Amino acid sequence: MSATAARALFESAFGRPSEALFSAPGRANLIGEHTDYNDGYVLPFAIPSRTFAAVGVRPDERIRVTSTFSPEPVEVALSELADLFPSEGTPRVPEWAAYPLGVAWALRERFPDAVTPGLDIAFASEVPVGAGLSSSAAIEGAAASAMNALWALGADATTLALAGRRAENEAVGAPTGIMDQMAVMHGHPDAATFLDCRTLEVAAIPVGFVDADLELLVIDTRTTHAHSTGGYRERRASCELGAAEMGVPALRDLTVADLARAEERFDDVTFRRVRHIVTENQRVLDTVATLRSAGPTAIGDLLVASHVSMRDDFEISTIELDTAVESALAAGALGARMTGGGFGGAAVALVRVADAEAVEAAVRATFAERGFREPNVFAIWPADGAHRDA
Ligand code: GLA
């Protein structure tokens, strides 16, 4: 178990027992993809797999981090954190370490008057890396929660999420939105986090999977495409261009009724990028309304429409993700879609518990037939957000 692994790693790396333990989950997105950096709506939830951080205070002003996937500790003076992250180019630390050290930097910038003693932190994670389940937000969330407590910052969950995003954007250099960090910090068992990415207002929306005998299967295709970061950046640029040309601060400010006007104005590709965001925002609102009025068995078509929009309009799906979605639906899933940034990673399928085995078997058989890599299939459900464990 990763809690034990984090504590054991702390002892072996730092030669003393840890003082406290914090953890943060990965996340899956039920619906609302690429809407976050368009100031739009998302409906993600925290998943049961977590990243644990065993921590201890140091008598000096240095920070050391180590993790089970790269046990050689990385050590730096707190005052020198900013030098690790040049505004151009790659961080001057191993990539994984830029996440927790970036959070330390962002929190010290946000709370310049706080007394921040040195820290030793050992991470152990059970969140699969590269599956689109936000292993990076999990490490940011665990680090931020630990620092918030040991530095007595008194920051709320949203402030910690913002520090995580700043680390990701400015320390790691990935141009992501705020969805992952908010999902990780605000998670609730059996509820998804409905987030307005402009106001950062959150509402826990009960998903009711358990009462409806449903579960969500992750189908991790175990493929990541080399152009995923470039593709993400390019989509973001198209959206910003689309908003500027339409004279609005963000695509969030357009509705489905504005699409006819957008179609006249844009080339085909830009129009389809804009249409994905505008319709996806509406689908998030429709999903929330449907969960409230009719329950989770009724959201399947919205999930499928979201996938089709990502496949055809936003063009971020892959043959493996399309196959996962199609074979799950053919075997009786109520809905399915790719989840996360795209260009590889995982799909999610909403299934009746009684059909889960058959859906999994059908997906595996189709992948084998087509010569794809064997997928990793497992059930998830909404779980608790970041917290102190001990
Ligand atoms: C990645 C990013 C998020 C979000 C999703 C797409 O997970 O980290 O901010 O943009 O892609 O919805």
Side-chain angles (χ1 to χ4, degrees):
M1 200 202 155
S2 295
T4 315
R7 283 184 164 131
L9 176 63
F10 187 100
E11 284 208 44
S12 65
F14 304 130
R16 62 190 172 111
S18 57
E19 289 163 33
L21 185 72
F22 296 81
S23 67
R27 68 98 190 90
N29 191 11
L30 194 55
I31 196 160
E33 222 66 83
H34 285 257
T35 43
D36 62 350
Y37 56 79
N38 288 294
D39 273 5
Y41 303 106
V42 291
L43 191 61
F45 61 84
I47 62 173
S49 314
R50 303 181 75 84
T51 295
F52 289 84
V55 295
V57 170
R58 291 168 59 91
D60 57 15
E61 297 200 342
R62 300 183 72 75
I63 183 163
R64 277 191 297 184
V65 291
T66 185
S67 81
T68 47
F69 40 89
S70 178
E72 186 60 35
V74 177
E75 176 172 349
V76 61
L78 287 169
S79 58
E80 285 166 11
L81 281 170
D83 305 335
L84 299 179
F85 311 119
S87 52
E88 300 290 321
T90 45
R92 299 194 176 101
V93 282
E95 196 195 348
W96 79 267
Y99 293 94
L101 295 178
V103 169
W105 163 75
L107 283 174
R108 278 170 42 97
E109 292 258 308
R110 173 69 180 72
F111 297 96
D113 299 328
V115 177
T116 57
L119 298 175
D120 285 331
I121 316 182
F123 293 96
S125 182
E126 55 202 28
V127 183
V129 174
L133 296 173
S134 279
S135 56
S136 55
I139 196 169
E140 289 157 9
S145 303
M147 291 166 196
N148 189 35
L150 297 182
W151 289 346
L153 302 178
D156 63 15
T158 296
T159 305
L160 297 179
L162 286 167
R165 180 182 59 178
R166 188 156 185 215
E168 186 125 2
N169 291 170
E170 295 179 43
V172 180
T176 57
I178 190 66
M179 167 170 76
D180 305 344
Q181 293 81 9
M182 288 293 274
V184 157
M185 293 308 306
H186 285 276
H188 270 289
D190 208 38
T193 301
F194 175 38
L195 168 66
D196 179 333
C197 298
R198 172 169 281 165
T199 63
L200 296 185
E201 213 176 302
V202 288
I205 307 293
V207 292
F209 290 163
V210 177
D211 289 345
D213 272 333
L214 297 179
E215 65 185 28
L216 207 64
L217 285 183
V218 170
I219 305 160
D220 176 7
T221 64
R222 297 167 68 224
T223 54
T224 320
H225 289 245
H227 57 282
S228 62
T229 311
Y232 188 97
R233 218 178 269 281
E234 212 174 86
R235 297 303 180 282
R236 190 166 178 156
S238 293
C239 292
E240 280 160 11
L241 175 81
E245 290 272 316
M246 291 295 285
V248 288
L251 290 182
R252 139 69 174 278
D253 298 298
L254 300 182
T255 67
V256 175
D258 296 312
L259 286 176
R261 198 159 52 90
E263 189 164 17
E264 282 166 17
R265 191 167 194 126
F266 293 123
D267 61 274
D268 174 58
V269 172
T270 312
F271 171 64
R272 286 185 291 112
R273 303 295 187 253
V274 169
R275 180 165 64 184
H276 166 70
I277 300 301
V278 173
T279 57
E280 185 79 348
N281 268 327
Q282 188 57 50
R283 281 186 289 271
V284 176
L285 298 176
D286 292 348
T287 302
V288 170
T290 305
L291 281 171
R292 284 177 168 146
S293 63
T297 47
I299 65 170
D301 291 349
L302 287 160
L303 303 186
V304 175
S306 169
H307 184 77
V308 169
S309 179
M310 288 188 282
R311 185 190 67 197
D312 299 345
D313 275 359
F314 219 55
E315 296 181 287
I316 55 171
S317 188
T318 63
I319 183 70
E320 293 88 354
L321 288 166
D322 293 343
T323 303
V325 167
E326 282 154 26
S327 54
L329 290 172
L334 302 180
R337 60 186 286 281
M338 53 145 282
T339 185
F343 307 101
V348 288
L350 184 64
V351 298
R352 293 185 203 284
V353 173
D355 296 337
E357 270 180 34
V359 171
E360 174 170 350
V363 171
R364 287 186 181 285
T366 313
F367 270 55
E369 248 163 55
R370 302 208 180 163
F372 296 163
R373 210 168 164 192
E374 199 183 324
N376 191 11
V377 184
F378 52 98
I380 51 168
W381 51 91
D384 202 13
H387 58 225
R388 184 175 192 146
D389 295 271

